[in-house]
Amino acid sequence: MPTTYQVVLLTARHSISGEITLQDQRLSDFLNDRRETTMRLTNTQVARLSDPSKVIQRNAEAVIPKSLIAVAFEPPQHAIPSSKRLFGYVHKQQHEVFLVLEGLEVHGILHTTGELDLRRYLAINADSFLPITRATVYLDVSDRYVIEQDAILVNARWIRYIAPKASAVAPSSD
């Protein structure tokens, strides 16, 4: 049975919110399904990352190539039962990470099935949307706009920098 979900998509310069209808699938399963290269949305709103509170366009229907999505997430909604998911549950290790994407910075928890080998992890998942939990997304155009979500999906192709999270660096006093 088809279910409609609210989604928010971040690209290099825009925030796009709308609805997607999925057939017994999670958003992550849909995004990682290589048979479909686009995402069809309904009831969309578009805002610039430089001013995400100001909607610049509304449309009844729109399409976006999945490859142009940097970050995707669902506002809190009903979860799909694990029996309906494409992939079963696998125990994973949790690693605090810091990521730089085009126009975005992300702090959160990366889940891996083994030790944290970032180079290997990105090579294996190059065409995937990676789950990051307890995520904080900073729009690098302004420190005023911060998004906090229990879980987001990051397009691995958009990652420009990834590292285990270290303590914050204090500004230089030079």
Side-chain angles (χ1 to χ4, degrees):
M1 179 171 155
T3 305
T4 301
Y5 295 96
Q6 294 290 322
V7 295
V8 177
L9 311 173
L10 304 179
T11 69
R13 294 188 178 89
H14 294 90
S15 171
I16 302 164
S17 61
E19 298 173 344
I20 183 169
T21 301
L22 300 175
Q23 184 73 36
D24 294 328
Q25 253 183 331
R26 298 180 299 174
L27 179 60
S28 61
D29 296 335
F30 172 78
L31 288 171
N32 286 316
D33 184 347
R34 294 187 182 133
R35 296 172 296 181
E36 184 67 51
T37 60
T38 61
M39 177 182 272
R40 182 183 173 275
L41 298 172
T42 57
N43 302 317
T44 63
Q45 295 183 24
V46 178
R48 293 183 183 98
L49 291 184
S50 59
D51 189 3
S53 61
K54 181 182 176 188
V55 174
I56 61 169
Q57 182 72 32
R58 294 178 199 273
N59 293 95
E61 184 176 343
V63 174
I64 181 171
K66 288 195 235 178
S67 62
L68 296 181
I69 300 167
V71 171
F73 60 90
E74 300 174 62
Q77 301 171 61
H78 299 292
I80 291 178
S82 58
S83 62
K84 303 269 184 175
R85 295 179 184 166
L86 186 59
F87 304 105
Y89 175 77
V90 176
H91 180 71
K92 296 183 178 174
Q93 294 184 24
Q94 299 181 13
H95 309 278
E96 280 192 77
V97 292
F98 171 71
L99 300 94
V100 175
L101 290 77
E102 188 70 31
L104 306 167
E105 295 173 0
V106 177
H107 299 258
I109 306 294
L110 175 67
H111 301 261
T112 64
T113 54
E115 292 300 315
L116 185 61
D117 180 349
L118 293 173
R119 191 168 134 186
R120 182 176 178 277
Y121 190 76
L122 283 183
I124 290 171
N125 294 296
D127 291 325
S128 299
F129 283 79
L130 309 175
I132 303 290
T133 59
R134 296 195 315 232
T136 304
V137 180
Y138 295 88
L139 311 183
D140 79 356
V141 294
S142 169
D143 285 336
R144 295 182 311 157
Y145 299 111
V146 177
I147 299 167
E148 293 182 336
Q149 288 291 315
D150 289 337
I152 64 172
L153 296 159
V154 173
N155 188 336
R157 290 187 176 269
W158 280 72
I159 296 173
R160 303 298 181 252
Y161 177 92
I162 183 170
K165 187 160 179 188
S167 57
V169 177
S172 175
S173 60
D174 293 338

